[in-house]
Structure formats: structure tokens, C-alpha cells
Amino acid sequence: MSHSLNRVEIDLGALRHNYRALQEQAGKGAEVLAMVKADAYGHGLVPVARTLAAAGARTFGVAEIEEGIALRQAGLEGEVIVLLGAPADRLDEVIVHRLSPVVFDLEMLAELSRRAVLAETRVDVHLKVDVGMGRLGILPPELPHFLDSLSRLPGVRLAGVSSHLPMADRPQAAVTREQCRLFMEIAARVRQASPEARFHLANSAAHLNLPETRLDMVRPGIALYGGQPGGPTAGGFRPVMSFRSRIQQVKEVPAGTGLSYGHTFVTSRPSRVAVLPVGYDDGLLRRLSNRAAVLIGGRRVPLRGNICMNACMADVTDLPAVRPGDEVVLLGRQGGEAITAGEIAGWLETIDYEVLCLVGGLNARLYVGAERGTGE
Ligand SMILES: *Cc1c(COP(=O)(O)O)cnc(C)c1O
């Protein structure tokens, strides 16, 4: 699947630091619901969840049932909230693995109730209300009928009510203000009838930019992994993922030498070129050709020519000491320099979330910084 020369390193110490910082900011009133969906944003579902559990996390958010089952099979306790809900053909698995699905469909809820009663158990559910994301969730006017129906169903309990903000990185925007107001109003109303339900709205950006949205739980994802949530408030989080490789060959070429497919780069001076065993198969997307930089010898050097499937070239003309076998950092820190997921995202015209999922998902991961004796 991957090349021994390339590795994604996951710094569990940085992950613990970010989790603790978030929990500290949230204070005693709000719990951090650790978002570990999408294989923990490419960092590895089970190792990340174990580290967070050892650091005190009790509630986890996954996208799909499959991920929830993987957490249970790894021995993770605590509440596992399945954000995409439960498809009709997998309700028994929700029950067996004690997962808490997000709900937005009364028909599904009635069937879940029937099966929970048959299994002589109770399933916790989190109702999703759409206050303006335009994604999953019931619309606010449907709320009274939904809650009334839910309260009549045995075997299911309203454990939470949630929503999601589309522009939490713009805390002052009128839409954000209005969506927050709407959810607060819903929370105040529903809390009276369902005092056990926990209310949650905030992703990383809302947690940081709109502290009033923290309510009973916050759902940070990107901040846990040290990415940039967006918006005016920075959180002091440490990047958890880095991507490293080693130089395979260094060669001297004259001025006028074309590099790689299509000769999209031609040297303008006698040059030293380092060939790196990293390509788009490893998540170094071809779109980064002649755009990206990497770190070698603690210095930033440009990639030159088209990125190949398993190779690319860096210009190391100004680094005469560079040798084959030297470390290359494609994402992360080397000496005093750093390349962040946000910077790569800028070159790719995307967001750092996508960079982390891509690079983490395509490469072998090495975990560093585990605490001994914690089961990490
Ligand atoms: C992914 C997700 C989050 C986490 O968002 P970040 O921006 O990564 O903090 C929170 N809530 C929901 C519903 C999500 O889907």
C-alpha cells in the first residue's frame, strides 16, 4: 500500500495537548465530543480514540455505523454518536453495539423502537435539527410533532439535540447570529420537556469564535488534529500529522534541462535536483506540480516539474550538502521551518481537512508519543 521510504507520523502527544486545551476552554459545563469520523480525519480511528479515551474523552463522533462498530471491537467504552444516523437495514447493529444514532426520520425511529423493545434494551438517540446548514436534520417547524412522537415510543430515549452551523468561521455574519439564536431558542424550549437531553451545536470554529454555542457539548474535529478551524480566534493547537520521506537520488544537471513529464519546468541555471519517491499515489496531488515546496536540510525548497505517480523533483541547488537518504518533510516541521496542512490546502485551493484525510488515508502511519501503561 505504501513505500517504506514515505511515512505519515501521528504525534499522539500533540493530540493529547489539543484535546486537553479544548476541554479546558470548554470548562466544566461543556464536554468535548471528540470527532473521530473519517478515520479520525486520516489520523487513524482506533489509535486516536484510544489516546483520547486515555486523556479523558468519554464521547466520540463517527460518521457511519461501521466506524462505531470498529470502536467497540477495539474495546472503546463511552458514548459513540453516529452522525449520519442508522440505515434501516442496520438497526440491529446499532442495538448490539450500543451506538447512539443521530435521528431525523420518524419511520426509522419507530422501527428502532420496535427492535429495541424486542431486544429488551433502550437506545439513546440524538435528534438533528437543521437550523440552516441545508444538510441532515428536521426543520424547526417539525420539532413539536417529532418530539411528541418520540416521547411515545418505548425503547428510545432522547439523549441529545444537535445542529450544525455552516458559517461558524464568520461569527458576526447575520446568518450565523440568526442560526445560533434559533438553536438557543429550541434548546430552551426542549430542555423543559426533556431535562436529560444534552444540546450540542459547536464545531471547532464555533467553539472558538462563538463561546456561547458551547452548551452541553462541543464537537471539535479539525482543532483536535491541529488544523485551522477558520475565523478570527486561534486556539494554539499543535499539528498532529506530519508526512516525511527520504531523498532517493541527487544529480547535477546543466542549464536548459527539462524535468519530468511534459518538461513543464526547464532549469535556468546549472542545478542540483533531488529525486523524491513521493507522488500523487501518496497524496502529493499532481495539481501541486510547480506549486509546492518541501523541507530539506531545514530549508524550504521548491518542487519542479510535473509530479509523477511515485516520484517528484526538488531543486536543491542552494543546498550543496544534501545527499541521498536525507529526510524530506512534505507536511510538518523540520528545523525552524514548517509546512502546514493549511499551506498545502492553499496551493490546492481546498481546505486543510481534505489534505489531512488524503495524506493520512493513503500512507502507512507511524504513531509516536504514546503514553506508557495507558493502553494507547
Ligand atoms: C465534522 C463535524 C464536526 C467537526 O467539525 P470541525 O470543523 O472539524 O470542528 C462537528 N459537527 C458535525 C455535525 C460534523 O459533521
Side-chain angles (χ1 to χ4, degrees), residues 270-301:
S271 299
R272 277 164 60 78
V273 174
V275 183
L276 317 179
V278 193
Y280 51 80
D281 177 44
D282 312 290
L284 190 70
L285 295 189
R286 195 167 179 279
R287 194 179 173 82
L288 290 166
S289 300
N290 295 309
R291 294 186 180 195
V294 300
L295 306 180
I296 295 174
R299 294 264 303 274
R300 196 172 260 269
V301 294

PDB file of all heavy atoms in Angstrom, residues 270-301:
ATOM      1  N   PRO A 270      22.750  25.913 -14.034  1.00  0.00           N
ATOM      2  CA  PRO A 270      23.220  24.570 -13.643  1.00  0.00           C
ATOM      3  C   PRO A 270      22.593  24.244 -12.281  1.00  0.00           C
ATOM      4  O   PRO A 270      22.649  25.085 -11.371  1.00  0.00           O
ATOM      5  CB  PRO A 270      24.742  24.727 -13.541  1.00  0.00           C
ATOM      6  CG  PRO A 270      25.051  25.950 -14.356  1.00  0.00           C
ATOM      7  CD  PRO A 270      23.864  26.857 -14.232  1.00  0.00           C
ATOM      8  N   SER A 271      21.965  23.072 -12.148  1.00  0.00           N
ATOM      9  CA  SER A 271      21.148  22.809 -10.963  1.00  0.00           C
ATOM     10  C   SER A 271      21.471  21.472 -10.317  1.00  0.00           C
ATOM     11  O   SER A 271      21.934  20.536 -10.985  1.00  0.00           O
ATOM     12  CB  SER A 271      19.657  22.802 -11.345  1.00  0.00           C
ATOM     13  OG  SER A 271      19.278  24.050 -11.873  1.00  0.00           O
ATOM     14  N   ARG A 272      21.198  21.404  -9.025  1.00  0.00           N
ATOM     15  CA  ARG A 272      21.191  20.115  -8.310  1.00  0.00           C
ATOM     16  C   ARG A 272      19.731  19.743  -8.093  1.00  0.00           C
ATOM     17  O   ARG A 272      18.954  20.524  -7.538  1.00  0.00           O
ATOM     18  CB  ARG A 272      21.899  20.233  -6.956  1.00  0.00           C
ATOM     19  CG  ARG A 272      23.421  20.106  -7.055  1.00  0.00           C
ATOM     20  CD  ARG A 272      24.077  20.613  -5.800  1.00  0.00           C
ATOM     21  NE  ARG A 272      23.683  19.903  -4.593  1.00  0.00           N
ATOM     22  CZ  ARG A 272      24.151  18.702  -4.238  1.00  0.00           C
ATOM     23  NH1 ARG A 272      25.009  18.061  -5.010  1.00  0.00           N
ATOM     24  NH2 ARG A 272      23.761  18.147  -3.120  1.00  0.00           N
ATOM     25  N   VAL A 273      19.387  18.556  -8.547  1.00  0.00           N
ATOM     26  CA  VAL A 273      17.995  18.116  -8.475  1.00  0.00           C
ATOM     27  C   VAL A 273      17.922  16.898  -7.555  1.00  0.00           C
ATOM     28  O   VAL A 273      18.682  15.939  -7.729  1.00  0.00           O
ATOM     29  CB  VAL A 273      17.470  17.762  -9.884  1.00  0.00           C
ATOM     30  CG1 VAL A 273      16.076  17.156  -9.813  1.00  0.00           C
ATOM     31  CG2 VAL A 273      17.473  18.996 -10.773  1.00  0.00           C
ATOM     32  N   ALA A 274      17.024  16.944  -6.572  1.00  0.00           N
ATOM     33  CA  ALA A 274      16.803  15.784  -5.699  1.00  0.00           C
ATOM     34  C   ALA A 274      15.542  15.066  -6.174  1.00  0.00           C
ATOM     35  O   ALA A 274      14.492  15.695  -6.346  1.00  0.00           O
ATOM     36  CB  ALA A 274      16.636  16.241  -4.251  1.00  0.00           C
ATOM     37  N   VAL A 275      15.675  13.761  -6.410  1.00  0.00           N
ATOM     38  CA  VAL A 275      14.516  12.958  -6.800  1.00  0.00           C
ATOM     39  C   VAL A 275      13.913  12.354  -5.531  1.00  0.00           C
ATOM     40  O   VAL A 275      14.623  11.716  -4.736  1.00  0.00           O
ATOM     41  CB  VAL A 275      14.924  11.839  -7.789  1.00  0.00           C
ATOM     42  CG1 VAL A 275      13.697  11.060  -8.238  1.00  0.00           C
ATOM     43  CG2 VAL A 275      15.654  12.444  -8.991  1.00  0.00           C
ATOM     44  N   LEU A 276      12.616  12.590  -5.321  1.00  0.00           N
ATOM     45  CA  LEU A 276      11.930  12.118  -4.112  1.00  0.00           C
ATOM     46  C   LEU A 276      10.946  11.012  -4.481  1.00  0.00           C
ATOM     47  O   LEU A 276      10.262  11.118  -5.509  1.00  0.00           O
ATOM     48  CB  LEU A 276      11.159  13.270  -3.452  1.00  0.00           C
ATOM     49  CG  LEU A 276      11.886  14.620  -3.372  1.00  0.00           C
ATOM     50  CD1 LEU A 276      10.968  15.658  -2.719  1.00  0.00           C
ATOM     51  CD2 LEU A 276      13.186  14.479  -2.603  1.00  0.00           C
ATOM     52  N   PRO A 277      10.848   9.977  -3.665  1.00  0.00           N
ATOM     53  CA  PRO A 277       9.974   8.838  -4.003  1.00  0.00           C
ATOM     54  C   PRO A 277       8.521   9.063  -3.601  1.00  0.00           C
ATOM     55  O   PRO A 277       7.874   8.173  -3.045  1.00  0.00           O
ATOM     56  CB  PRO A 277      10.608   7.687  -3.213  1.00  0.00           C
ATOM     57  CG  PRO A 277      11.138   8.365  -1.995  1.00  0.00           C
ATOM     58  CD  PRO A 277      11.597   9.738  -2.421  1.00  0.00           C
ATOM     59  N   VAL A 278       8.015  10.254  -3.830  1.00  0.00           N
ATOM     60  CA  VAL A 278       6.648  10.606  -3.431  1.00  0.00           C
ATOM     61  C   VAL A 278       5.912  11.135  -4.649  1.00  0.00           C
ATOM     62  O   VAL A 278       6.456  11.961  -5.385  1.00  0.00           O
ATOM     63  CB  VAL A 278       6.634  11.737  -2.368  1.00  0.00           C
ATOM     64  CG1 VAL A 278       5.250  11.861  -1.748  1.00  0.00           C
ATOM     65  CG2 VAL A 278       7.689  11.503  -1.316  1.00  0.00           C
ATOM     66  N   GLY A 279       4.682  10.679  -4.847  1.00  0.00           N
ATOM     67  CA  GLY A 279       3.911  11.157  -5.985  1.00  0.00           C
ATOM     68  C   GLY A 279       2.436  11.226  -5.661  1.00  0.00           C
ATOM     69  O   GLY A 279       2.039  11.166  -4.493  1.00  0.00           O
ATOM     70  N   TYR A 280       1.632  11.338  -6.699  1.00  0.00           N
ATOM     71  CA  TYR A 280       0.191  11.512  -6.436  1.00  0.00           C
ATOM     72  C   TYR A 280      -0.445  10.267  -5.850  1.00  0.00           C
ATOM     73  O   TYR A 280      -1.471  10.346  -5.187  1.00  0.00           O
ATOM     74  CB  TYR A 280      -0.559  12.036  -7.669  1.00  0.00           C
ATOM     75  CG  TYR A 280      -0.356  11.302  -8.972  1.00  0.00           C
ATOM     76  CD1 TYR A 280      -1.031  10.125  -9.247  1.00  0.00           C
ATOM     77  CD2 TYR A 280       0.502  11.818  -9.945  1.00  0.00           C
ATOM     78  CE1 TYR A 280      -0.853   9.473 -10.460  1.00  0.00           C
ATOM     79  CE2 TYR A 280       0.678  11.169 -11.158  1.00  0.00           C
ATOM     80  CZ  TYR A 280      -0.001   9.990 -11.413  1.00  0.00           C
ATOM     81  OH  TYR A 280       0.170   9.345 -12.599  1.00  0.00           O
ATOM     82  N   ASP A 281       0.183   9.114  -6.043  1.00  0.00           N
ATOM     83  CA  ASP A 281      -0.282   7.895  -5.386  1.00  0.00           C
ATOM     84  C   ASP A 281      -0.184   8.009  -3.856  1.00  0.00           C
ATOM     85  O   ASP A 281      -0.867   7.306  -3.127  1.00  0.00           O
ATOM     86  CB  ASP A 281       0.572   6.713  -5.877  1.00  0.00           C
ATOM     87  CG  ASP A 281       0.223   5.406  -5.196  1.00  0.00           C
ATOM     88  OD1 ASP A 281      -0.977   5.123  -5.046  1.00  0.00           O
ATOM     89  OD2 ASP A 281       1.152   4.665  -4.807  1.00  0.00           O
ATOM     90  N   ASP A 282       0.639   8.896  -3.387  1.00  0.00           N
ATOM     91  CA  ASP A 282       0.837   9.086  -1.945  1.00  0.00           C
ATOM     92  C   ASP A 282       0.096  10.318  -1.425  1.00  0.00           C
ATOM     93  O   ASP A 282       0.283  10.729  -0.282  1.00  0.00           O
ATOM     94  CB  ASP A 282       2.334   9.255  -1.651  1.00  0.00           C
ATOM     95  CG  ASP A 282       3.166   8.188  -2.331  1.00  0.00           C
ATOM     96  OD1 ASP A 282       3.081   7.028  -1.911  1.00  0.00           O
ATOM     97  OD2 ASP A 282       3.869   8.505  -3.316  1.00  0.00           O
ATOM     98  N   GLY A 283      -0.688  10.941  -2.285  1.00  0.00           N
ATOM     99  CA  GLY A 283      -1.443  12.120  -1.858  1.00  0.00           C
ATOM    100  C   GLY A 283      -0.781  13.437  -2.227  1.00  0.00           C
ATOM    101  O   GLY A 283      -1.314  14.505  -1.929  1.00  0.00           O
ATOM    102  N   LEU A 284       0.406  13.360  -2.847  1.00  0.00           N
ATOM    103  CA  LEU A 284       1.041  14.590  -3.342  1.00  0.00           C
ATOM    104  C   LEU A 284       0.430  14.847  -4.720  1.00  0.00           C
ATOM    105  O   LEU A 284       0.988  14.474  -5.752  1.00  0.00           O
ATOM    106  CB  LEU A 284       2.555  14.403  -3.431  1.00  0.00           C
ATOM    107  CG  LEU A 284       3.369  15.665  -3.709  1.00  0.00           C
ATOM    108  CD1 LEU A 284       3.359  16.596  -2.493  1.00  0.00           C
ATOM    109  CD2 LEU A 284       4.817  15.316  -4.068  1.00  0.00           C
ATOM    110  N   LEU A 285      -0.727  15.480  -4.712  1.00  0.00           N
ATOM    111  CA  LEU A 285      -1.540  15.566  -5.931  1.00  0.00           C
ATOM    112  C   LEU A 285      -0.796  16.276  -7.057  1.00  0.00           C
ATOM    113  O   LEU A 285      -0.017  17.196  -6.837  1.00  0.00           O
ATOM    114  CB  LEU A 285      -2.858  16.283  -5.638  1.00  0.00           C
ATOM    115  CG  LEU A 285      -3.800  15.566  -4.669  1.00  0.00           C
ATOM    116  CD1 LEU A 285      -5.156  16.256  -4.641  1.00  0.00           C
ATOM    117  CD2 LEU A 285      -3.964  14.092  -5.024  1.00  0.00           C
ATOM    118  N   ARG A 286      -1.085  15.844  -8.276  1.00  0.00           N
ATOM    119  CA  ARG A 286      -0.389  16.364  -9.458  1.00  0.00           C
ATOM    120  C   ARG A 286      -0.623  17.867  -9.617  1.00  0.00           C
ATOM    121  O   ARG A 286       0.195  18.581 -10.179  1.00  0.00           O
ATOM    122  CB  ARG A 286      -0.889  15.596 -10.684  1.00  0.00           C
ATOM    123  CG  ARG A 286      -0.032  15.764 -11.917  1.00  0.00           C
ATOM    124  CD  ARG A 286      -0.434  14.714 -12.945  1.00  0.00           C
ATOM    125  NE  ARG A 286       0.336  14.844 -14.177  1.00  0.00           N
ATOM    126  CZ  ARG A 286       0.068  15.718 -15.140  1.00  0.00           C
ATOM    127  NH1 ARG A 286      -0.955  16.538 -15.006  1.00  0.00           N
ATOM    128  NH2 ARG A 286       0.810  15.760 -16.228  1.00  0.00           N
ATOM    129  N   ARG A 287      -1.751  18.317  -9.095  1.00  0.00           N
ATOM    130  CA  ARG A 287      -2.044  19.744  -9.134  1.00  0.00           C
ATOM    131  C   ARG A 287      -1.015  20.584  -8.373  1.00  0.00           C
ATOM    132  O   ARG A 287      -0.910  21.793  -8.564  1.00  0.00           O
ATOM    133  CB  ARG A 287      -3.433  19.959  -8.521  1.00  0.00           C
ATOM    134  CG  ARG A 287      -4.004  21.303  -8.775  1.00  0.00           C
ATOM    135  CD  ARG A 287      -5.386  21.449  -8.163  1.00  0.00           C
ATOM    136  NE  ARG A 287      -5.813  22.818  -8.312  1.00  0.00           N
ATOM    137  CZ  ARG A 287      -6.349  23.313  -9.428  1.00  0.00           C
ATOM    138  NH1 ARG A 287      -6.543  22.524 -10.450  1.00  0.00           N
ATOM    139  NH2 ARG A 287      -6.672  24.575  -9.505  1.00  0.00           N
ATOM    140  N   LEU A 288      -0.242  19.921  -7.500  1.00  0.00           N
ATOM    141  CA  LEU A 288       0.794  20.633  -6.737  1.00  0.00           C
ATOM    142  C   LEU A 288       2.064  20.853  -7.558  1.00  0.00           C
ATOM    143  O   LEU A 288       3.000  21.529  -7.093  1.00  0.00           O
ATOM    144  CB  LEU A 288       1.135  19.855  -5.465  1.00  0.00           C
ATOM    145  CG  LEU A 288       0.051  19.826  -4.382  1.00  0.00           C
ATOM    146  CD1 LEU A 288       0.351  18.760  -3.335  1.00  0.00           C
ATOM    147  CD2 LEU A 288      -0.069  21.201  -3.711  1.00  0.00           C
ATOM    148  N   SER A 289       2.101  20.308  -8.778  1.00  0.00           N
ATOM    149  CA  SER A 289       3.288  20.442  -9.636  1.00  0.00           C
ATOM    150  C   SER A 289       3.644  21.912  -9.825  1.00  0.00           C
ATOM    151  O   SER A 289       2.766  22.740 -10.115  1.00  0.00           O
ATOM    152  CB  SER A 289       3.021  19.826 -11.017  1.00  0.00           C
ATOM    153  OG  SER A 289       2.717  18.453 -10.901  1.00  0.00           O
ATOM    154  N   ASN A 290       4.927  22.233  -9.640  1.00  0.00           N
ATOM    155  CA  ASN A 290       5.432  23.611  -9.788  1.00  0.00           C
ATOM    156  C   ASN A 290       4.738  24.612  -8.865  1.00  0.00           C
ATOM    157  O   ASN A 290       4.774  25.819  -9.106  1.00  0.00           O
ATOM    158  CB  ASN A 290       5.327  24.076 -11.258  1.00  0.00           C
ATOM    159  CG  ASN A 290       6.224  23.256 -12.169  1.00  0.00           C
ATOM    160  OD1 ASN A 290       7.414  23.101 -11.895  1.00  0.00           O
ATOM    161  ND2 ASN A 290       5.658  22.696 -13.229  1.00  0.00           N
ATOM    162  N   ARG A 291       4.061  24.104  -7.804  1.00  0.00           N
ATOM    163  CA  ARG A 291       3.430  24.993  -6.825  1.00  0.00           C
ATOM    164  C   ARG A 291       3.969  24.755  -5.419  1.00  0.00           C
ATOM    165  O   ARG A 291       4.082  25.686  -4.636  1.00  0.00           O
ATOM    166  CB  ARG A 291       1.922  24.722  -6.738  1.00  0.00           C
ATOM    167  CG  ARG A 291       1.159  25.059  -7.963  1.00  0.00           C
ATOM    168  CD  ARG A 291      -0.330  24.882  -7.681  1.00  0.00           C
ATOM    169  NE  ARG A 291      -1.092  25.211  -8.881  1.00  0.00           N
ATOM    170  CZ  ARG A 291      -2.383  25.432  -8.907  1.00  0.00           C
ATOM    171  NH1 ARG A 291      -3.091  25.343  -7.794  1.00  0.00           N
ATOM    172  NH2 ARG A 291      -2.979  25.711 -10.033  1.00  0.00           N
ATOM    173  N   ALA A 292       4.213  23.478  -5.105  1.00  0.00           N
ATOM    174  CA  ALA A 292       4.501  23.137  -3.707  1.00  0.00           C
ATOM    175  C   ALA A 292       5.982  23.313  -3.382  1.00  0.00           C
ATOM    176  O   ALA A 292       6.836  23.354  -4.268  1.00  0.00           O
ATOM    177  CB  ALA A 292       4.085  21.693  -3.432  1.00  0.00           C
ATOM    178  N   ALA A 293       6.253  23.417  -2.084  1.00  0.00           N
ATOM    179  CA  ALA A 293       7.617  23.381  -1.566  1.00  0.00           C
ATOM    180  C   ALA A 293       7.705  22.236  -0.563  1.00  0.00           C
ATOM    181  O   ALA A 293       6.678  21.768  -0.051  1.00  0.00           O
ATOM    182  CB  ALA A 293       7.951  24.705  -0.889  1.00  0.00           C
ATOM    183  N   VAL A 294       8.924  21.776  -0.316  1.00  0.00           N
ATOM    184  CA  VAL A 294       9.155  20.764   0.723  1.00  0.00           C
ATOM    185  C   VAL A 294      10.327  21.250   1.571  1.00  0.00           C
ATOM    186  O   VAL A 294      11.002  22.218   1.204  1.00  0.00           O
ATOM    187  CB  VAL A 294       9.459  19.371   0.116  1.00  0.00           C
ATOM    188  CG1 VAL A 294       8.292  18.889  -0.736  1.00  0.00           C
ATOM    189  CG2 VAL A 294      10.751  19.388  -0.697  1.00  0.00           C
ATOM    190  N   LEU A 295      10.534  20.596   2.697  1.00  0.00           N
ATOM    191  CA  LEU A 295      11.654  20.970   3.562  1.00  0.00           C
ATOM    192  C   LEU A 295      12.761  19.929   3.448  1.00  0.00           C
ATOM    193  O   LEU A 295      12.516  18.733   3.573  1.00  0.00           O
ATOM    194  CB  LEU A 295      11.196  21.077   5.021  1.00  0.00           C
ATOM    195  CG  LEU A 295      10.002  21.996   5.292  1.00  0.00           C
ATOM    196  CD1 LEU A 295       9.657  21.992   6.780  1.00  0.00           C
ATOM    197  CD2 LEU A 295      10.281  23.411   4.796  1.00  0.00           C
ATOM    198  N   ILE A 296      13.970  20.414   3.182  1.00  0.00           N
ATOM    199  CA  ILE A 296      15.153  19.560   3.136  1.00  0.00           C
ATOM    200  C   ILE A 296      16.268  20.320   3.850  1.00  0.00           C
ATOM    201  O   ILE A 296      16.460  21.512   3.596  1.00  0.00           O
ATOM    202  CB  ILE A 296      15.568  19.247   1.678  1.00  0.00           C
ATOM    203  CG1 ILE A 296      14.476  18.424   0.973  1.00  0.00           C
ATOM    204  CG2 ILE A 296      16.896  18.499   1.644  1.00  0.00           C
ATOM    205  CD1 ILE A 296      14.723  18.172  -0.513  1.00  0.00           C
ATOM    206  N   GLY A 297      16.959  19.638   4.762  1.00  0.00           N
ATOM    207  CA  GLY A 297      18.042  20.301   5.492  1.00  0.00           C
ATOM    208  C   GLY A 297      17.572  21.533   6.241  1.00  0.00           C
ATOM    209  O   GLY A 297      18.320  22.502   6.397  1.00  0.00           O
ATOM    210  N   GLY A 298      16.325  21.520   6.694  1.00  0.00           N
ATOM    211  CA  GLY A 298      15.784  22.643   7.463  1.00  0.00           C
ATOM    212  C   GLY A 298      15.444  23.850   6.597  1.00  0.00           C
ATOM    213  O   GLY A 298      15.133  24.918   7.124  1.00  0.00           O
ATOM    214  N   ARG A 299      15.510  23.672   5.279  1.00  0.00           N
ATOM    215  CA  ARG A 299      15.213  24.790   4.366  1.00  0.00           C
ATOM    216  C   ARG A 299      14.051  24.426   3.458  1.00  0.00           C
ATOM    217  O   ARG A 299      13.802  23.258   3.162  1.00  0.00           O
ATOM    218  CB  ARG A 299      16.453  25.083   3.490  1.00  0.00           C
ATOM    219  CG  ARG A 299      17.669  25.604   4.255  1.00  0.00           C
ATOM    220  CD  ARG A 299      17.767  27.127   4.246  1.00  0.00           C
ATOM    221  NE  ARG A 299      17.794  27.692   2.894  1.00  0.00           N
ATOM    222  CZ  ARG A 299      18.898  27.850   2.161  1.00  0.00           C
ATOM    223  NH1 ARG A 299      20.074  27.433   2.627  1.00  0.00           N
ATOM    224  NH2 ARG A 299      18.833  28.404   0.961  1.00  0.00           N
ATOM    225  N   ARG A 300      13.392  25.467   2.990  1.00  0.00           N
ATOM    226  CA  ARG A 300      12.260  25.320   2.091  1.00  0.00           C
ATOM    227  C   ARG A 300      12.784  25.290   0.663  1.00  0.00           C
ATOM    228  O   ARG A 300      13.515  26.195   0.261  1.00  0.00           O
ATOM    229  CB  ARG A 300      11.424  26.572   2.302  1.00  0.00           C
ATOM    230  CG  ARG A 300      10.052  26.573   1.827  1.00  0.00           C
ATOM    231  CD  ARG A 300       9.432  27.863   2.375  1.00  0.00           C
ATOM    232  NE  ARG A 300       8.672  27.529   3.537  1.00  0.00           N
ATOM    233  CZ  ARG A 300       7.370  27.216   3.470  1.00  0.00           C
ATOM    234  NH1 ARG A 300       6.728  27.266   2.336  1.00  0.00           N
ATOM    235  NH2 ARG A 300       6.731  26.883   4.547  1.00  0.00           N
ATOM    236  N   VAL A 301      12.456  24.244  -0.083  1.00  0.00           N
ATOM    237  CA  VAL A 301      12.898  24.181  -1.485  1.00  0.00           C
ATOM    238  C   VAL A 301      11.692  23.877  -2.371  1.00  0.00           C
ATOM    239  O   VAL A 301      10.771  23.171  -1.964  1.00  0.00           O
ATOM    240  CB  VAL A 301      14.003  23.103  -1.710  1.00  0.00           C
ATOM    241  CG1 VAL A 301      15.279  23.489  -0.979  1.00  0.00           C
ATOM    242  CG2 VAL A 301      13.543  21.726  -1.294  1.00  0.00           C
TER     243      VAL A 301
END
